[in-house]
């Protein structure tokens, strides 16, 4: 800890005191930095497709990307899957193209499996009929097996999950003769169907609970349901206060219960579709909900817990790729759009303290690109970028001021565009009152 410097004039001390009320605001303020942005393809002839892209964190240094591509093969346009492994700096370690003659693929999502490989969910279209498609690969992305499932004239997969017993779970819907039937399907570790449960409407999302049950997001009508490991219904809830939401992702909340993200047409919303976030307890009761949006259609696609106790959300705001960080009660801490024109952000994962990597489609580029953003939320005063306000940050600022170094935005505690003793005094006070919690 540092004590307030004694050899200072009373005028400076008085100025410092005037800023004390502002310190708390300074402490929670954050800035968004893009560490890097990269665009990925699997071949020079390929450009971004129209599916849902996904990213999986393997460890602190490596990530897996799933996307689909349009590829111009000998004057014939193919729709294929692309699987890439990248490192923390965005460098490609390996990539694979997954295709089949006469088949069009749209990516849905990917999960890391217990054997070190991956399970891929995709939409599979052949002879104008869509099917659920599941692809298992090894740790290097080489395909082990592929299974497809067909019930109606159209069958749309919305998500794939891994199960505690080593099998996999699928959600989506089938369409036949004007009727839509929601699907939850349990398959074994080799892709064979074990059982299925039908619902009215569409099953849009899923999450396996710690007890082996499954929580599901559904539409037509909008609701959340819990089923046990055999598919028996445990409870179903509707949430009329948030309109008619379509939940794209459900996450087990570190605080208990579940956190869901999607979009909804709220009666008192900003536009036709707002990003909606719903926090529920283990029985599905609404603890709080928030909406965020513009006059345009806005969508929330992915939500994760953060190390600071809040949540990070990936989506679309005002037709642009969008990342939002909120606290544990849904209050916005920071947000940013990541492109200058039409773009989408489909998934986000943590890559360190206040660091994230996200994936989406950037239509501001020609041709459209599969884009990945590495994002850093820097706290004002966190000068060594470790996610905490510590004595080391005070030392960095003191040294910088004494040596007349260049101005640093992250050190401007009172936002006067100067880096001086006032900033140092404010940072010392914050560090003295710090309880070793990560900065926000």
């Amino acid at each position: 800890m540092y004590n307030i410097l004694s050899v200072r004039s009373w005028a400076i001390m008085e100025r410092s005191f005037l800023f004390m009320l502002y310190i708390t605001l300074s402490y929670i303020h954050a800035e968004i930095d893009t560490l890097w942005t990269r665009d990925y393809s699997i071949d020079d002839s390929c450009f971004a497709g129209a599916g849902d892209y996904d990213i999986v964190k393997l460890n602190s240094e490596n990530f897996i990307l799933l996307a689909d591509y349009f590829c111009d093969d000998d004057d014939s346009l193919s729709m294929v899957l692309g699987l890439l492994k990248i490192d923390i700096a965005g460098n490609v370690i390996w990539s694979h193209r997954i295709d089949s003659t006469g088949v069009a693929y749209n990516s849905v999502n990917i999960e890391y499996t217990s054997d070190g490989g991956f399970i891929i969910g995709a939409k599979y279209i052949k002879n104008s009929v869509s099917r659920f498609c599941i692809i298992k690969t090894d740790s290097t992305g080489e395909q082990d097996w592929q299974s497809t499932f067909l019930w109606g004239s159209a069958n749309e997969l919305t998500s794939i999950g891994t199960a505690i017993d080593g099998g996999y779970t699928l959600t989506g819907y089938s369409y036949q003769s004007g009727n839509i039937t929601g699907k939850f399907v349990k398959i074994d570790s080799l892709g064979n169907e074990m059982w299925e449960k039908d619902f009215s409407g569409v099953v849009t999302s899923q999450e396996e609970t710690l007890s082996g049950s499954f929580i599901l997001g559904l539409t037509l009508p909008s609701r959340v349901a819990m089923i046990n490991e055999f598919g028996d219904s445990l409870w179903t809830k509707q949430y009329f206060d948030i309109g008619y939401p379509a939940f794209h992702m459900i996450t087990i909340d570190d605080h208990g219960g579940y956190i869901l993200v999607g979009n909804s047409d709220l009666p008192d919303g900003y536009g036709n579709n707002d990003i909606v976030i719903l926090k529920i307890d283990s029985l599905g009761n609404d603890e709080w909900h928030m909406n965020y949006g513009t006059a345009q259609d806005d969508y929330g696609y992915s939500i994760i817990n953060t190390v600071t106790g809040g949540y990070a959300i990936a989506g679309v705001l005002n037709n642009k790729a969008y990342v939002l960080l909120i606290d544990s009660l849904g209050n916005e801490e920071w947000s940013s759009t990541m492109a200058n024109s039409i773009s989408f952000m489909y998934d986000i994962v943590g890559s360190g303290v206040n660091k994230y990597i996200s994936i989406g489609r950037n239509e501001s580029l020609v041709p459209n690109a599969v884009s990945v953003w590495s994002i850093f939320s820097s706290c004002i005063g966190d000068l060594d970028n470790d996610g905490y306000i510590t004595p080391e940050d005070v030392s960095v600022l003191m040294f910088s001021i004494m040596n007349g170094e260049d101005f640093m935005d992250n050190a401007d505690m009172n936002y006067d565009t100067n880096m001086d003793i006032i900033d140092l005094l404010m940072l010392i006070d914050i560090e003295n009152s710090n309880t070793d919690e990560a900065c926000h």
Side-chain angles (χ1 to χ4, degrees):
M1 294 292 181
Y2 283 79
N3 294 317
I4 299 297
L5 303 178
S6 57
V7 188
R8 296 295 177 216
S9 69
W10 283 104
I12 291 178
M13 295 298 292
E14 183 178 10
R15 288 176 61 195
S16 177
F17 175 78
L18 292 176
F19 287 110
M20 288 300 120
L21 184 61
Y22 198 67
I23 284 176
T24 302
L25 296 177
S26 300
Y27 179 61
I28 64 172
H29 181 74
E31 295 180 337
I32 302 299
D33 295 316
T34 302
L35 298 179
W36 53 260
T37 302
R38 294 198 177 188
D39 304 318
Y40 294 91
S41 186
I42 50 175
D43 189 89
D44 290 342
S45 67
C46 302
F47 58 94
D52 295 336
Y53 308 160
D54 204 14
I55 182 168
V56 171
K57 179 180 179 179
L58 300 181
N59 50 51
S60 61
E61 296 294 328
N62 296 287
F63 304 83
I64 296 292
L65 313 179
L66 173 69
D68 57 45
Y69 293 88
F70 293 106
C71 295
D72 188 0
D73 300 320
D74 300 323
D75 297 322
S76 176
L77 200 63
S78 302
M79 295 173 63
V80 308
L81 299 177
L83 188 65
L84 302 93
K85 182 178 181 179
I86 65 171
D87 64 20
I88 190 69
N91 303 304
V92 176
I93 298 173
W94 52 252
S95 66
H96 288 285
R97 170 173 167 162
I98 299 173
D99 59 8
S100 183
T101 302
V103 174
Y105 290 94
N106 281 139
S107 55
V108 175
N109 72 303
I110 183 171
E111 296 286 346
Y112 192 40
T113 58
S114 58
D115 62 358
F118 308 97
I119 192 74
I120 298 169
K123 300 173 185 177
Y124 173 110
I125 304 169
K126 187 174 184 178
N127 298 325
S128 300
V129 177
S130 57
R131 297 167 170 84
F132 287 23
C133 179
I134 314 303
I135 302 168
K136 177 68 174 68
T137 77
D138 63 17
S139 60
T140 65
E142 296 290 345
Q143 184 171 319
D144 291 333
W145 52 260
Q146 180 175 153
S147 294
T148 61
F149 300 88
L150 175 70
W151 295 276
S153 58
N155 307 270
E156 296 286 332
L157 181 74
T158 57
S159 74
I160 184 170
T162 57
I164 293 174
D165 64 3
Y168 309 104
T169 52
L170 321 176
T171 68
Y173 70 93
S174 66
Y175 176 86
Q176 184 69 42
S177 302
N179 297 313
I180 293 176
T181 303
K183 293 288 184 181
F184 180 87
V185 185
K186 181 69 171 62
I187 63 176
D188 65 20
S189 60
L190 296 178
N192 303 301
E193 182 178 336
M194 299 173 65
W195 55 264
E196 66 179 83
K197 183 176 178 64
D198 291 348
F199 295 86
S200 62
V202 178
V203 186
T204 59
S205 52
Q206 61 166 309
E207 179 71 15
E208 186 175 23
T209 71
L210 299 178
S211 65
S213 298
F214 301 94
I215 184 168
L216 311 175
L218 301 104
T219 62
L220 304 174
S222 299
R223 61 207 190 275
V224 175
M226 181 78 78
I227 60 175
N228 66 17
E229 64 270 32
F230 306 109
D232 302 318
S233 179
L234 299 178
W235 53 257
T236 300
K237 300 280 187 178
Q238 289 184 268
Y239 307 94
F240 299 105
D241 289 344
I242 53 176
Y244 305 96
F247 293 114
H248 299 293
M249 188 172 183
I250 306 172
T251 297
I252 296 175
D253 188 1
D254 286 348
H255 304 283
Y258 308 95
I259 190 85
L260 301 86
V261 68
N263 54 273
S264 183
D265 184 2
L266 292 107
D268 57 349
Y270 297 99
N272 290 333
N273 268 303
D274 288 354
I275 297 171
V276 62
I277 298 171
L278 172 66
K279 173 68 174 72
I280 60 175
D281 65 18
S282 60
L283 298 177
N285 299 306
D286 184 348
E287 293 188 338
W288 57 260
H289 54 265
M290 292 283 186
N291 63 297
Y292 315 81
T294 66
Q296 304 295 324
D297 285 338
D298 306 306
Y299 300 91
Y301 290 117
S302 177
I303 187 166
I304 59 172
N305 295 279
T306 68
V307 296
T308 57
Y311 313 96
I313 296 96
V316 177
L317 188 82
N318 198 23
N319 295 318
K320 298 175 183 177
Y322 178 64
V323 60
L324 166 68
L325 189 75
I326 60 176
D327 66 17
S328 60
L329 296 177
N331 302 301
E332 180 177 336
E333 293 187 337
W334 55 253
S335 63
S336 180
T337 52
M338 306 306 295
N340 294 324
S341 59
I342 297 176
S343 52
F344 305 81
M345 185 181 290
Y346 294 115
D347 198 20
I348 188 168
V349 295
S351 58
V353 176
N354 296 322
K355 294 181 181 179
Y356 308 91
I357 292 182
S358 60
I359 187 171
R361 182 171 70 253
N362 192 344
E363 295 187 1
S364 65
L365 303 177
V366 180
N368 297 343
V370 175
S371 294
V372 174
W373 296 270
S374 179
I375 306 161
F376 176 51
S377 166
S378 57
C379 295
I380 299 298
D382 179 22
L383 304 185
D384 58 2
N385 293 330
D386 67 351
Y388 296 84
I389 304 295
T390 64
E392 285 71 24
D393 298 305
V394 177
S395 296
V396 170
L397 182 54
M398 184 181 298
F399 181 85
S400 299
I401 293 173
M402 291 175 61
N403 289 276
E405 294 188 358
D406 293 338
F407 175 76
M408 298 181 291
D409 287 335
N410 208 24
D412 187 13
M413 307 299 295
N414 60 349
Y415 311 101
D416 66 352
T417 68
N418 292 309
M419 190 171 72
D420 54 25
I421 186 61
I422 302 301
D423 300 307
L424 180 60
L425 292 170
M426 294 179 70
L427 184 58
I428 289 170
D429 190 84
I430 292 174
E431 199 286 318
N432 277 334
S433 62
N434 192 7
T435 58
D436 293 328
E437 293 182 355
C439 62
H440 295 68

